[in-house]
Amino acid sequence: MREVEITSIHRMTPRVKQFELVADEAFEYEPGQHTHLHFERDGDGGGDGETEDEEVVRPYTATGLPGTNRITLAIKRYDDGTASVYMHDREPGDTIEIEELDGNLSLRDLDSDVAFVSTGTGITPMMAMVKQYLRDGSGNATFLYGEKTQEDVMYRETLDQLEAEHENLTVVYSLSDEDWSGRTGHVQAHIEDVVPDPEATDFYCCGVPGMVVETTEKLADIGVPDERIYSEGWEEDEVSEE
């Protein structure tokens, strides 16, 4: 467990804030991996009317590259949430406790063409991985990102700048709840239109479980081998339990 200080907070969208966290030592991890936030809240201690602390643990993904003592987390606030409300109530100078970063999402082959498919805050691991790929990779990258409205789109300025600076990056936005000049509907519906050679591309998927499962099924239908599709791996179990 590491104690880190919140040094800055930036509002990215009406419901998303980005938190910069600073530690005493550098963070070492694979871009795409996540940490776990730990904190305690008052809980119901039982029938005697007393209360006891309840530990809350939630995963959040670093959006930048490792090697410094700073990481950034982008967190969406849910009105009925616990950890998201807790974090959105923090201020610069506050300290929190997080775990070392780990997880299943990371780039496997820097020489292969890649496609990043995400919705909502599922974009966070993709931001770290696309930065790594543009720095170290040798193929072409397609970045597909789905949101409800333009107001909800995270990291648009950063992505547009990266696309302008790198000829091997194509960024595709798709909005599900707004009519605009760009693509609309589910982002995974556009894969065949924008990825030049899906069967020879590594796909990295992150978002709500249903989207990840549907994307995985679609990729299988168009001939993408299973070994080229990567996600956290827990999404199918989550969907089956709904």
Side-chain angles (χ1 to χ4, degrees), residues 1-15:
M1 198 76 67
R2 301 179 70 167
E3 183 176 84
V4 295
E5 179 182 352
I6 301 173
T7 54
S8 70
I9 300 173
H10 169 64
R11 183 174 292 279
M12 303 181 66
T13 75
R15 301 186 67 83

Side-chain angles (χ1 to χ4, degrees), residues 89-110:
D89 287 342
R90 298 309 96 196
E91 297 179 353
D94 288 347
T95 59
I96 59 174
E97 288 192 336
I98 63 172
E99 297 180 19
E100 298 293 344
L101 284 81
D102 200 355
N104 296 324
L105 268 182
S106 62
L107 288 173
R108 303 310 206 272
D109 185 354
L110 290 167

Side-chain angles (χ1 to χ4, degrees), residues 36 46 49 63 93 98 111 115 118 121 129 152 154 159 200 238:
H36 282 87
T63 62
I98 63 172
D111 294 322
S118 63
T121 52
M129 288 192 288
D152 298 311
M154 302 164 56
L159 287 168
E238 182 119 338

Side-chain angles (χ1 to χ4, degrees), residues 16-30:
V16 177
K17 290 182 179 181
Q18 178 173 276
F19 299 83
E20 181 185 65
L21 310 179
V22 175
D24 292 334
E25 299 179 356
F27 291 96
E28 298 297 342
Y29 58 93
E30 293 294 329

Side-chain angles (χ1 to χ4, degrees), residues 21-80:
L21 310 179
V22 175
D24 292 334
E25 299 179 356
F27 291 96
E28 298 297 342
Y29 58 93
E30 293 294 329
Q33 293 184 323
H34 60 269
T35 183
H36 282 87
L37 165 70
H38 289 245
F39 68 96
E40 292 185 345
R41 66 171 181 174
D42 290 338
D44 186 352
D48 57 7
E50 296 180 357
T51 60
E52 60 182 13
D53 289 336
E54 175 189 358
E55 184 178 39
V56 178
V57 182
R58 294 289 189 276
Y60 294 109
T61 303
T63 62
L65 298 176
T68 75
N69 67 336
R70 299 170 183 267
I71 60 172
T72 52
L73 308 178
I75 299 176
K76 182 176 181 179
R77 186 187 193 279
Y78 297 92
D79 292 338
D80 58 350

